[in-house]
Every structure is written in structure tokens, then in C-alpha cells.
């Protein structure tokens, strides 16, 4: 088996769709038959609760792994869905941001833990917190690839230069192979000119990096977590469901993942409306 492809969803801005993208792409990849681990590195634990996991019932979290070096096997929630394991998080993880400061190898603790499961999974998806602190640096050090979700809103690119600077720093000092796999535009509203304008602006900033799939603003995507469900479970035929399926197809292609023997054929990228179609309106 090839070592796991580790992908971090990062953007220090909150509310841009990191967690929604992490949960729904991890679920979609598992549906395709890949062995997937989702790591929730945000103390808010939104990825954990989005999958319907009750945080009060947890024996251990990512905190135990990064701070106390607990073995993955003791903490991982196996098969929260077929093919999908979860390393959950709770608010207690917030303390790690402070406690890590004085620790040896403080930036590499998640990376070291991930090495142990390199051969267990095809893909590891890491949901980062909305900051550029040590938890995000740990995620970027553990990852091979970064996906940057950007919301189609005013000031979308605000802070992105700082994120790129952090990624470059991690690359130089800690993780030379790290790359930006792509930028995913989220919450696209076809009724506003602003959305199309933002996509153009981001395209100028990241030529060739934007994923073809653009995730529309969709109430169904916002509702699904309150039912503890991925969009593929809650409403697969919704526009958000179609978009995240298409995005998973693009991820499979960009990561060069081999379709598992028992998996279904990945969807074709760009199953959503082409952008020009929206922009014309
Ligand atoms: N495409 C979308 N359409 C509508 N609501 C969305 C969409 N993506 C995310 N949301 C909602 O927006 C909020 C922020 O998204 P989230 O994924 O939690 O962002 P982040 O993890 O970057 O803070 C959540 O309430 C989520 O349900
Ligand atoms: Mg989040």
C-alpha cells in the first residue's frame, strides 16, 4: 500500500468552509472505498459534532495524541462511517496551543503521530482551526498537501498572504514537501455579482490553483451538521451534495489516488455548472 496522502484544510479565517469541506470530502472519499482518517484539529470540534459524535462521550482526543503521545489506536474512533475513522477533538484541545509551546519538537508532534498510521489509510484529512498557531503549524507539518477554502465574499483574500507566508515558512523549516494542492471557492451565490467577481480576483491571485468545482451557498450544507450527517447522507442530490462529490473526484485526480478494488468510479470533476454560466447572470 502507498503511504497515506495527508491533506490539511487551512485558512485562518473562520467560517470559510474548512470544516464543511473536511467532513464532506472525507465522507465522499470513504464512500468511494478509500480508507480515510479525519483528524479534527480545531478545539471547537465542529468536524467531530458534524459527524454526530457526542463530545462528552469521548475517551480521548487529538489532545492526547499531540500532548501526551497517546497511540492513535487508543484514541481513534474507528468506523464512524464505513471506511471513515475520526480522531476527534473537544474544547480541551485549546490548552494544547499553550502547552505545546514548551515541548520538544512542538511543531512535529502530529506529524510524528501520523507516521504510525501511514500504511493504514489511503487519505488523511486534517481540519485546521481558524488561526495560524501551533495547532495549524502541526497540521501543516503533518500534511503533504494544503487545500485552502475561500469564501466567495467581500475581503475573501484578506489574510491569504499571511497564510501563504506561514505555509512557506513551514515548508522551509519543517516540511519541504508541503504544497498547495488547490484553492476551493465556497458559498458561491449565483445571484450576486460579488461571488463571480471574487472568483475572478482569487483566480488572478492563484492562477491554475483553483479547483474547477465551486461549492454553491446551500442551506442543505448548513443544515446537515445539525443532523450529524455528511451531505452525502443528508441530501446527496442537493447542489451542495453534487458539488462535494465533484470536489472529491478532483481530489482523487490531483492526489493520484488509485481507485480501490471495491470502490465505485469517481465522479467526473466539474459536475456542477461551469462558472461562466453563473457569471453570465
Ligand atoms: N456552501 C455552503 N453553503 C451554506 N452554508 C455553508 C456552506 N459551507 C459552510 N456553510 C456553513 O457556514 C458555516 C461555516 O462553515 P465551516 O465549514 O464551519 O467553516 P470553517 O471551518 O472555515 O470555520 C457553518 O455553519 C457551515 O454549516
Ligand atoms: Mg471549522
Amino acid at each position: 500500500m502507498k503511504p497515506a496522502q495527508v491533506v490539511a484544510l487551512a485558512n485562518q479565517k473562520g467560517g470559510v468552509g474548512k470544516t464543511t469541506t473536511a467532513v464532506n470530502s472525507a465522507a465522499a472519499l470513504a464512500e468511494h472505498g478509500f480508507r480515510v482518517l479525519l483528524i479534527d484539529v480545531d478545539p471547537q470540534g465542529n468536524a467531530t459534532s458534524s459527524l454526530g459524535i457526542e463530545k462528552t462521550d469521548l475517551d480521548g482526543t487529538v489532545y492526547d495524541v499531540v500532548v501526551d503521545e497517546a497511540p492513535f489506536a487508543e484514541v481513534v474512533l474507528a468506523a464512524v462511517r464505513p471506511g471513515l475513522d475520526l480522531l476527534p477533538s473537544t474544547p480541551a484541545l485549546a490548552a494544547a496551543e499553550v502547552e505545546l509551546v514548551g515541548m520538544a519538537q512542538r511543531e512535529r508532534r502530529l506529524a510524528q503521530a501520523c507516521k504510525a498510521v501511514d500504511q493504514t489509510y489511503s487519505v488523511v484529512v486534517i481540519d485546521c482551526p481558524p488561526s495560524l498557531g501551533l495547532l495549524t503549524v502541526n497540521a501543516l507539518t503533518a500534511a503533504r498537501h494544503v487545500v485552502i477554502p475561500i469564501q466567495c465574499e467581500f475581503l475573501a483574500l484578506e489574510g491569504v498572504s499571511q497564510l501563504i507566508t506561514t505555509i512557506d515558512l513551514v515548508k522551509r523549516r519543517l516540511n519541504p514537501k508541503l504544497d498547495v494542492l488547490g484553492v476551493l471557492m465556497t458559498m458561491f451565490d449565483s445571484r450576486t455579482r460579488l461571488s463571480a467577481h471574487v472568483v475572478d480576483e482569487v483566480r488572478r491571485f492563484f492562477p491554475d490553483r483553483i479547483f474547477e468545482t465551486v461549492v454553491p451557498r446551500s442551506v442543505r450544507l448548513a443544515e446537515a451538521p445539525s443532523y450529524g450527517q455528511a451531505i452525502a447522507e443528508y441530501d446527496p442530490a442537493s447542489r451542495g451534495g453534487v458539488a462535494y462529490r465533484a470536489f472529491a473526484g478532483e481530489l482523487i485526480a490531483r492526489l493520484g489516488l488509485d481507485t480501490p478494488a471495491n470502490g465505485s468510479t469517481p465522479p467526473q470533476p466539474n459536475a456542477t455548472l461551469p462558472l461562466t454560466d453563473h457569471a453570465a447572470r
Side-chain angles (χ1 to χ4, degrees), residues 11 13-21 42 46 127-128 130 186-188 215-219 221-223 225 244:
N11 187 335
K13 237 187 192 187
V16 298
K18 289 181 291 295
T19 300
T20 306
T21 302
D42 186 352
N46 293 340
D127 185 25
C128 292
T186 64
M187 303 183 222
F188 185 93
V215 180
R217 186 173 281 286
S218 143
V219 176
L221 279 173
E223 286 169 352
Y244 275 110

Side-chain angles (χ1 to χ4, degrees), residues 189-241:
D189 188 343
S190 58
R191 295 165 308 178
T192 69
R193 268 189 214 173
L194 177 63
S195 274
H197 173 76
V198 170
V199 175
D200 285 345
E201 194 185 28
V202 174
R203 205 181 289 285
R204 275 199 298 279
F205 197 87
F206 291 104
D208 313 324
R209 290 288 173 90
I210 299 193
F211 287 100
E212 274 183 60
T213 308
V214 172
V215 180
R217 186 173 281 286
S218 143
V219 176
R220 309 300 270 167
L221 279 173
E223 286 169 352
S226 64
Y227 294 90
Q229 290 183 334
I231 194 66
E233 300 161 313
Y234 181 62
D235 192 350
S238 64
R239 290 182 314 139

